[in-house]
Structures are given as structure tokens and as C-alpha cells.
Amino acid sequence: MAVFLYQVGEKMGLIEVQDLYYKYNDSEEWVLNGINLDIKDGEFLVIVGHNGSGKSTLAKMLNGLLVPNQGTVDVNGDKTSDRDKIWDIRQQVGMVFQNPDNQLVANIVEEDIAFGPENLGLESSEIRKRVDNSLKAVAMEEFKRYAPHNLSGGQKQRVAIAGVLAMQPKCLVLDEPTAMLDPVGRKSVMDAIQKLNKGLGMTIVHITHFMTEAIQADRIIVMEEGKIVLEGTPRDIFSQVDKIKEYHLDVPQVTELAFKLHQQGLKISPDIFDIDRLVNKLCYLK
Ligand SMILES: Nc1ncnc2c1ncn2[C@@H]1O[C@H](COP(=O)(O)OP(=O)(O)O)[C@@H](O)[C@H]1O
Ligand SMILES: [Mg+2]
């Protein structure tokens, strides 16, 4: 008899991390210390945590760049420890790093995007299609004949994202992709990521230390010393302002203000992170 594992409307599991432990060769302590995490297909997950908490190490686990010492990482049913499956896994889970300059290989944008599909040995018509679609997905189609060094940081990072998209992954893992960008560049990259998630249903794992980015997630996990110490919707997480500070993280400014007004006895919920909502609450306060 057929068994329905998922209810209609519920997202399917894409990546499953179970009892994951990891340490680098020369380290005494576990850098990842018992991580359990399910990432659903189409989910927008944000990972936050202060420096050294293990975020980048976890990111590299998700596409098999690193493999667990103990425990498992499953991508769409395949274990990253299964070396026969590793190329398939790396194609399904694309990685974007902090510095776009380290990720661009060619002298012309479109050649850069074509690099991955060419290595897959695809036909030139298919490569062309993928290059155009990928550039369009990050709103960079008009720059396809530009030299990357003539682009802004945000534009370069969007080209780096397009290069990964050309491999047609199911999931994008972005490790602080906005850390080196100015506010305009940051917004353009976040807009592109949002469009990939909401428009194309792509699964996103986004690591950031900008809380204004974290509030855009479906779910946030907070890491500390190789463990997941908090997990929930942005509202769940930022309603715990004291705890967030305990983990050396910032609270969105709007939330901080709402929290302080609440502490002063105003009838304002302490977990507001939307400026319009706070203004609205203040205007109608009796
Ligand atoms: N290649 C490496 N070799 C040895 N130790 C490392 C290496 N990369 C990271 N670490 C250590 O692992 C811990 C977690 O690092 P990382 O995953 O980069 O954290 P985060 O991305 O949260 O800043 C840190 O203590 C860091 O020093
Ligand atoms: Mg890091």
C-alpha cells in the first residue's frame, strides 16, 4: 500500500543533517558538535551566529566539500560520504562565497557563466540558453559582454550566483555573500536571492550577520560553538531579544526600539521588525 509521507502543501525534505560531528585535523574540539537539521525543498533558511560558531563549516558540509567525522548529510536521498554521488550532490547544491573576485574565472561575464555548463559537456545551444536564463534570473542580462572588473561588487556577486545557477542546482548555499558589499550592492543581491526563492522556488541557505537580511527568511537557525542553539521563524527568534544578545548577535533596529518601548510599559509587542508595522502601532496607541 502506498504511504503518503508528506501532506499536500507541506514542503518535501531536500537536505537532512543527522547527528553531525566534525573537527579539523589540528583541532581538539568539535567544530560541529551534534547538528540535526532538515532543509525543505523551496525553503529560505538563514544561518546566523558569531565568528567561529561553525557556519562556514556547516555550509561546506551541505554539498560535500567536507564530510562528517560522525553522523550523516543526505542530499535528496544521497549521502555526501558516498564518493560516487559527490558530483551529483555538488551539482544539486551550489555554493556562493563571500568574495566575488575569487569566484569569477573568465574575462567576459557570459564566458564566466558558460564555464560550468561547458565542463558538463553540454551542447552549445543548451549552454547559450543556460547563460541567458541565469543572467536574467539575477537581472544581469544587459551586462553579459562586460568584463567582470568593470562591474560593482554587487553586480559581480550576482554574476557569481548566475554561474552557479547555470549548473541548475536545487539549492543555493550562500556564505556571507553580502559581507563585502555596500548597501546598494547588498540590496541588489538580496533582491536576486528573493526572486530565486519566491519566483523560481529555489531552496536558499543564506549565512549572514546582517539581521535585516535574516528577517527575510522562512526560518532562522542560530549557531554557537558548533551547535544550533535557537531555531524558529524570524518572529520567534527576534521576540527573544535578551537571548539574541547573549549569543553576541545584533537585533534589527526596529525590534530593539519596539523592545525598549515595551520595557517602558507601552502596549507594543517586543517582536516587531517591520518599520511600517511599528509606526502603525505607535499611531494607534491609546
Ligand atoms: N581549515 C580550517 N582548519 C582548522 N580550523 C578551522 C578551519 N576552518 C575553520 N576552522 C575553525 O573552525 C571553527 C569554526 O569556523 P567557521 O566554520 O569558519 O565559523 P564561522 O563561519 O561561523 O565563522 C573556528 O574555530 C575556526 O577557527
Ligand atoms: Mg564563516
Side-chain angles (χ1 to χ4, degrees), residues 72-109:
T72 53
V73 177
D74 240 278
V75 177
N76 225 0
D78 293 326
K79 294 203 172 8
T80 56
S81 56
D82 183 350
R83 296 329 266 176
D84 292 342
K85 295 283 164 59
I86 200 65
W87 294 110
D88 194 28
I89 286 171
R90 291 211 182 136
Q91 198 193 317
Q92 290 191 58
V93 182
M95 295 280 295
V96 177
F97 297 98
Q98 196 176 94
N99 189 343
D101 288 328
N102 296 343
Q103 301 171 81
L104 304 179
V105 289
N107 294 324
I108 303 288
V109 165

Side-chain angles (χ1 to χ4, degrees), residues 55-56 175-176:
K55 305 180 298 297
S56 295
D175 190 358
E176 303 206 29

Side-chain angles (χ1 to χ4, degrees), residues 76-286:
N76 225 0
D78 293 326
K79 294 203 172 8
T80 56
S81 56
D82 183 350
R83 296 329 266 176
D84 292 342
K85 295 283 164 59
I86 200 65
W87 294 110
D88 194 28
I89 286 171
R90 291 211 182 136
Q91 198 193 317
Q92 290 191 58
V93 182
M95 295 280 295
V96 177
F97 297 98
Q98 196 176 94
N99 189 343
D101 288 328
N102 296 343
Q103 301 171 81
L104 304 179
V105 289
N107 294 324
I108 303 288
V109 165
E110 62 182 347
E111 286 171 11
D112 198 274
I113 315 295
F115 186 77
E118 273 165 5
N119 279 340
L120 291 180
L122 299 172
E123 300 224 343
S124 59
S125 60
E126 173 66 15
I127 294 174
R128 174 115 318 274
K129 204 160 81 190
R130 288 195 184 196
V131 169
D132 289 345
N133 287 344
S134 304
L135 283 171
K136 198 161 161 221
V138 296
M140 283 297 287
E141 61 266 55
E142 61 189 282
F143 296 93
K144 67 180 182 184
R145 300 204 204 289
Y146 274 55
H149 69 256
N150 286 328
L151 301 177
S152 70
Q155 290 169 333
K156 281 187 208 168
Q157 195 58 293
R158 282 184 285 145
V159 171
I161 293 171
V164 177
L165 292 179
M167 305 298 279
Q168 299 191 331
K170 280 184 178 299
C171 175
L172 267 190
V173 178
L174 305 111
D175 190 358
E176 303 206 29
T178 60
M180 300 180 73
L181 308 180
D182 64 16
V184 174
R186 281 213 298 276
K187 181 168 185 314
S188 79
V189 168
M190 286 313 292
D191 287 350
I193 296 171
Q194 279 287 0
K195 207 171 104 190
L196 293 173
N197 177 252
K198 302 287 177 303
L200 302 177
M202 183 165 283
T203 311
I204 302 289
V205 178
H206 177 65
I207 299 175
T208 185
H209 61 265
F210 294 110
M211 297 305 137
T212 47
E213 295 176 5
I215 61 176
Q216 299 180 34
D218 295 326
R219 181 162 62 120
I220 299 175
I221 64 172
V222 180
M223 289 188 66
E224 167 96 348
E225 294 182 351
K227 293 192 166 114
I228 296 175
V229 289
L230 277 181
E231 175 177 357
T233 62
R235 189 162 299 285
D236 294 338
I237 298 289
F238 291 117
S239 61
Q240 309 178 58
V241 172
D242 287 336
K243 261 203 174 150
I244 289 286
K245 292 191 166 175
E246 194 183 305
Y247 296 128
H248 315 286
L249 296 170
D250 293 330
V251 173
Q253 275 183 336
V254 174
T255 312
E256 177 112 46
L257 180 59
F259 182 70
K260 289 199 168 148
L261 292 171
H262 175 82
Q263 279 184 322
Q264 292 295 319
L266 260 65
K267 279 191 186 156
I268 297 270
S269 138
D271 62 349
I272 295 176
F273 45 73
D274 176 328
I275 182 102
D276 293 329
R277 203 159 152 244
L278 179 59
V279 169
N280 196 277
K281 291 272 179 203
L282 285 169
C283 287
Y284 292 99
L285 210 58
K286 290 205 184 101

Side-chain angles (χ1 to χ4, degrees), residues 22-27 29-32 48-60 66 175-176 207 223 226:
Y22 184 76
K23 60 177 151 195
Y24 292 97
N25 291 334
D26 50 354
S27 100
E29 289 173 16
W30 293 115
V31 165
L32 296 177
V48 296
H50 72 94
N51 279 346
S53 56
K55 305 180 298 297
S56 295
T57 307
L58 178 59
K60 287 180 191 143
L66 295 174
D175 190 358
E176 303 206 29
I207 299 175
M223 289 188 66

